[in-house]
Amino acid sequence: MALGEFDLIEKYFRPPVQRAALGGGDDCALLVPTPGMQLAVSTDLLVEGRHFLSTVAPDRLGHKALAVNLSDLAACGAEPLAFTLALSLPRAEASFLAPFASGLLALAEQHEIELVGGDTTAGPLTIGITVIGEVPEGLALLRSGAAPGDELWVSGCLGDARLALEVFRGHAELPGDAFSAVREAMERPQPRVALGQALRGVASAAIDLSDGLLGDLGHIRRRSGVGATVWLDALPRSAALAAQPLALQRECLLAGGDDYELLFTAPAGAADAVRAAGLASGTPVTRIGRIEPAALGMKVFAEAHGRDPLDLSAFAGFDHFKS
Ligand code: ADP
Ligand code: MG
């Protein structure tokens, strides 16, 4: 039996709230800001066929829709507080809604972020989430803080989500267990929320990797007015990716997209503090290059002391209106 709009909201999207003064059900939710903190707000939209394949299991989709938003809070060093869910779906079916809500709310609980409202309509499957977090005044990590001489770091491994996509497209092959692992990276990314907060006061700039390393590093470069050098052999990759042909590895590592790792910079003297932040948050961190003066532009070398930079013309960052 199909549910009505309000039954559906009541049944799946009205969990009790503890931190918010008022959750869903009224015209607005009410949040209580902590004195001395700034609010961090971000929205991400997921559209079927563009951001996810129709083959994805609903619980994983619920997870991913929130994960990509939490990743933005992580990149700012913010602590998650509350989120809203704008949902357009073709049919109100329990077989979709129950697992979708459970994947979504399980990740919410893990990060202590509360669903406090939203909007629901019939239409093509589209999920818009707005997250609200908070960060001590003046300590938010921004894209604009990188300076020449800073070192460039990344969390976790790069390229697995793209490798999974290439397997789905029939462009790569993997044994079953390796495929499940990279598919998990694509469908159930783990936002680096604890690392982001541990990097407050340590990192000079940060961004989360959603559109591929080169494209997202380009955002740091533009906002900070700097150049950058990346060492290809330093880029952290899974055993599954390391077993692929070099050209595919490069594509996945440099232009992969959907990594949801943090790319950040820190002064050279802060390397120990960066490693400590990685340890404290249980997140691997790897140094992958250096920030340079703007005039040096963007260069990728095969290794740290390489002489000839790679030709980057094949790796434009992802742009939804150009590709
Ligand atoms: P309005 O039209 O006045 O904005 P709605 O009828 O759209 O209110 O929603 C009723 C209540 O249910 C609101 O409190 C809204 O925040 C909440 N709500 C609607 N859709 C969702 C959803 N997908 N997830 C969580 N809460 C929702
Ligand atoms: Mg509404």
Side-chain angles (χ1 to χ4, degrees):
M1 190 193 69
L3 287 165
E5 176 186 340
F6 298 103
D7 303 327
L8 175 172
I9 296 165
E10 205 58 42
K11 182 156 181 197
Y12 296 109
F13 302 121
R14 282 286 311 280
V17 295
Q18 289 179 341
R19 294 173 76 182
L22 183 68
D26 215 300
D27 289 310
C28 288
L30 297 174
L31 307 178
V32 188
T34 309
M37 304 286 260
Q38 290 178 319
L39 293 178
V41 180
S42 180
T43 299
D44 257 320
L45 193 60
L46 269 73
V47 176
E48 182 169 22
R50 187 148 266 277
H51 302 96
F52 58 91
L53 306 170
S54 48
T55 48
V56 66
D59 61 320
R60 292 187 165 210
L61 185 58
H63 173 103
K64 185 164 179 178
L66 182 57
V68 304
N69 280 278
L70 284 169
S71 183
D72 287 315
L73 289 182
C76 285
E79 178 191 340
L81 276 184
F83 71 105
T84 60
L85 169 66
L87 185 61
S88 159
L89 76 173
R91 290 167 300 277
E93 286 171 345
S95 59
F96 173 83
L97 283 161
F100 174 80
S102 88
L104 176 83
L105 296 177
L107 185 66
E109 199 169 303
Q110 195 185 320
H111 289 279
E112 297 179 24
I113 186 168
E114 298 182 324
L115 176 56
V116 296
D119 199 21
T120 306
T121 174
L125 186 57
T126 304
I127 304 147
I129 288 182
T130 295
V131 285
I132 301 162
E134 55 182 20
V135 58
E137 239 168 81
L139 285 187
L141 306 177
L142 304 178
R143 298 177 177 183
S144 53
D150 283 359
E151 294 176 326
L152 187 61
W153 297 78
V154 74
S155 66
C157 281
L158 303 181
D160 278 353
R162 174 61 180 275
L163 179 56
L165 188 61
E166 294 302 325
V167 174
F168 273 110
R169 287 171 169 168
H171 298 167
E173 277 185 40
L174 284 177
D177 50 342
F179 177 57
S180 327
V182 296
R183 185 176 185 174
E184 174 107 359
M186 176 172 81
E187 295 181 346
R188 283 179 50 81
Q190 298 299 325
R192 302 303 196 178
V193 174
L195 176 65
Q197 290 173 61
L199 287 172
R200 288 175 189 164
V202 175
S204 48
I207 188 170
D208 73 313
L209 290 175
S210 53
D211 297 336
L213 176 66
L214 292 185
D216 288 325
L217 179 53
H219 294 305
I220 288 191
R221 286 184 46 225
R222 273 185 294 281
R223 300 283 295 188
S224 297
V226 296
T229 293
V230 170
W231 310 314
L232 194 57
D233 69 340
L235 297 179
R237 66 203 82 177
S238 66
L241 183 55
Q244 298 300 314
L246 208 55
L248 181 60
Q249 284 190 50
R250 287 182 178 183
E251 179 72 21
C252 292
L253 291 166
L254 295 175
D258 256 7
D259 289 311
Y260 301 105
E261 295 294 348
L262 296 187
L263 175 70
F264 57 96
T265 63
D272 286 343
V274 169
R275 290 194 187 91
L279 278 178
S281 60
T283 315
V285 291
T286 308
R287 224 176 81 196
I288 61 163
R290 207 175 36 230
I291 296 299
E292 308 279 9
L296 292 191
M298 171 78 226
K299 292 197 172 65
V300 177
F301 293 94
E303 71 268 313
H305 300 289
R307 286 169 166 247
D308 300 317
L310 265 59
D311 175 10
L312 299 180
S313 52
F315 299 109
F318 191 75
D319 181 323
H320 280 287
F321 291 98
K322 289 189 189 156
S323 27

